[in-house]
Amino acid sequence: MVNIKVNLEKVLLAIFFGAFVFLGPGILFGHKISHEFPYAYFASDSFQHQVRADAIKDAGNFRQEAEYISFGIKNSIGRYPPLLYHLAVIFSYASGLEVYDSIYFIVIFFAIISVFLMYFLIRPFNRHAAFLSLPLAVLAFSQPASTGFLWGHWPSVLAQSFLIGFAWCISRLDMEKSYLLAGIMFSSVALAHTSEAVFGAIFVALFLAIKIIFKSLNKSEIKKFAMAFAISLIISLYYLPIFMNTWAKSQPWSYSFRPVWEGNPGFYIADFGIFLVFMAVGIAAALAKLKEMHTSLAFGFSMLIGGFLNYFGFDVRAFQIRFFWPLYLSVFFGLGIYFILRPAIKKWGIAHSSFFVLLFGILISGVFASVFDTEKIYIPHYKKFSSQGVMDTYHWDALKWLRESMGKDSKIYFLYGDIYSQDALLRNAKRVHYLVDPNDYISSINERKIKRSYVTEMPGDSGGLVAVRKGLFEFEYPLDSLPQEDFFGKKDICIFDYIVLDKASRQQALAQYNMMIGAELLKKSYIKKAFENEIVVVLKNDKKGDECIEERSF
Amino acid sequence: MTKKEMSALKKEAFELLKKEMAYIGIVFVIALAAFKIAFLNENFFGVLRVVASVFWLFVLPGYCVMLYWKESLEFLERFVIGTILSAGIIGILSYYLGLMGLNVKYHAFVLPVLMIAIGLIIFYRKTNKSH
């Protein structure tokens, strides 16, 4: 009998693993792992991370940010938390995948692993609740929670996988030398996305506070916590001064009240719909057991509070925590179902849990959505979503051609393109680049003028400040001493080596204007078409600085 | 410790590894099947290489490190925790080794080998000590 129970558990876990792989990366990636271009990238941030990982692959390390990421600044220190990028590069080498596929895979794969981490976190507290918690996690792979994947909040998502790992370590602090695991896991959180370490600290504070209130904290536990944090500090020692002098300086905490994540499809507590009933029961049951509160419950409460810290200055960081609410709060969901249904079944066993897990699994996976109108009774369920995203094969081929064919010091000018507003994708040319300001471009069309100079942006990544490290704790910020016009102002298009223009646009007038400028430029013998496909043309200017275009009206 | 005891110890450790390697093999086959179904437009060898890479970089190193806690945790729990732990250790070590001058292209080979070796040595020594 025991054997049957154990096998049933493993069989169900295997089924859920398969379901998560299918509903998560399977559908999102169009049932392919390797693609011809960055697939299912929906925002500039996705490209930002992909390009940085690619730059690390090129350099062999993350000592510095690439020049084309940092506004042409040389020697700027690698300031982003490095863990995701290194995993992506290593996985790219091992699997043969391009970095743009490997980085996405790593993020979503460890999100799946963290579902099972959460399961093993809850299991010692209540095996049935652990089982019943599994289906809710499906919502993490569906809109709106899946914004974390689609819009490129990847370091945060990966850090949250480690955060669940850290909570598991805390739950097992009674094991021999387990502080080593906790220390490594906490550093992994900090080196994947440092702000999640703050949420980890909030969890520890709440956990310890409960123990102190109920006088269940002993010296040995305090020692283990201290050891874990000391290990974590030692591991992160090189990176922390970088973080303190870049991110902590540019984004210090300040009080703000932001109930809505404007411009972003955020996850809100109401998105749990009818499941809130189960969760409320689970929370009530957990509060009733406050004295001997299990780590999984303390963790659930911490992340529930953490997700509401947008009302207390945590802004985007609190909204990011909500991407994993379907995992964190699954403990209350599982516990709630168990508490509601248990009085009705005399001898609740693993078979009963399995039945309800499958029932809720089918319900949440959206199988019934096409049969019954689940929207009306507001049962949240998985919504299938698959699209190639922002990039397409034509732009990707052009960017690839640019990085493979241009001289290292060549500069590129991008005229208007529909997808160029997600400007981090332009870094795939791997050269310093400039982009025409669409407002000035549209004004020029309205004025019916072809110009030599347009208002131009120099796109780059200033997040966390571009810094040059001069000593262990000494940093310089080169952008501070440069004039603002260098980054946004009128620029002569004749001073660039390459000019990129799109032949097609959702707004045909803009594409026609691009082609008009292209035709004017090609009147000069020293300007030639260097690359062309159905959508993109790249012009090469062999006489930089010469009068490459005659200003006129049309 | 006599030679006989030593050999019994080696046998015990080996038996455990043998048994759990078979479990890892089963999980590998399940993962491969799940990935092939989810990524049905990908060719089999592409899927195989990705799954093999996951096991090489994360599963095996994590499993070996977690052998230290074999008495406290059952196989599947060690397997899952080991996978995320390995991702953390490999990511952190890769960052620092890169800064020290070892190009990241070698890390996919060096780091798992290092972790597997360290994990097995610690496991062997702990088994020795506990007897």
Side-chain angles (χ1 to χ4, degrees), chain A residues 101-122:
Chain A
D101 282 323
S102 75
I103 192 167
Y104 217 157
F105 179 85
I106 287 288
V107 171
I108 206 158
F109 174 73
F110 282 105
I112 294 170
I113 291 295
S114 61
V115 173
F116 297 95
L117 282 171
M118 200 64 206
Y119 172 80
F120 283 113
L121 172 64
I122 306 167

Side-chain angles (χ1 to χ4, degrees), chain A residues 71 126 141 429:
Chain A
F71 303 93
N126 186 320
F141 300 92

Side-chain angles (χ1 to χ4, degrees), chain B:
Chain B
M1 191 181 282
T2 63
K3 266 191 177 175
K4 207 176 168 185
E5 283 171 330
M6 196 68 176
S7 125
L9 186 68
K10 276 184 189 169
K11 201 179 166 194
E12 187 192 318
F14 180 73
E15 283 302 319
L16 177 94
L17 285 178
K18 205 172 119 183
K19 190 176 86 181
E20 296 200 333
M21 278 299 155
Y23 293 162
I24 291 177
I26 293 168
V27 179
F28 182 87
V29 172
I30 292 170
L32 186 61
F35 272 68
K36 187 60 198 124
I37 294 167
F39 301 109
L40 48 100
N41 297 330
E42 190 74 44
N43 73 63
F44 176 77
F45 291 104
V47 175
L48 179 66
R49 189 169 173 184
V50 166
V51 176
S53 302
V54 167
F55 274 68
W56 169 246
L57 287 174
F58 308 121
V59 173
L60 286 177
Y63 165 76
C64 290
V65 169
M66 290 304 291
L67 275 170
Y68 185 84
W69 288 279
K70 73 175 171 56
E71 273 117 30
S72 319
L73 303 167
E74 63 180 61
F75 168 76
L76 205 55
E77 192 164 6
R78 270 186 285 127
F79 181 93
V80 173
I81 305 308
T83 303
I84 189 100
L85 180 73
S86 177
I89 296 175
I90 283 186
I92 292 166
L93 285 178
S94 175
Y95 175 54
Y96 286 120
L97 282 180
L99 293 177
M100 283 183 231
L102 184 68
N103 193 303
V104 72
K105 69 179 162 193
Y106 303 113
H107 298 186
F109 174 74
V110 172
L111 293 176
V113 168
L114 196 71
M115 278 181 69
I116 290 168
I118 291 172
L120 289 178
I121 290 167
I122 292 172
F123 165 63
Y124 184 73
R125 287 183 68 175
K126 197 192 175 193
T127 313
N128 235 339
K129 217 174 167 182
S130 61
H131 283 73

Side-chain angles (χ1 to χ4, degrees), chain A residues 31 33-34 63 86 176 235, chain B residues 38 42 69 77 94 96 99:
Chain A
H31 300 294
I33 306 179
S34 58
R63 210 169 283 145
H86 274 267
E176 187 190 357
I235 293 173
Chain B
E42 190 74 44
W69 288 279
E77 192 164 6
S94 175
Y96 286 120
L99 293 177

Side-chain angles (χ1 to χ4, degrees), chain A residues 12-40:
Chain A
L12 269 174
L13 290 179
I15 290 171
F16 267 91
F17 176 76
F20 282 117
V21 174
F22 191 88
L23 298 174
I27 287 178
L28 181 62
F29 296 168
H31 300 294
K32 267 179 81 74
I33 306 179
S34 58
H35 303 88
E36 286 172 7
F37 54 85
Y39 191 89

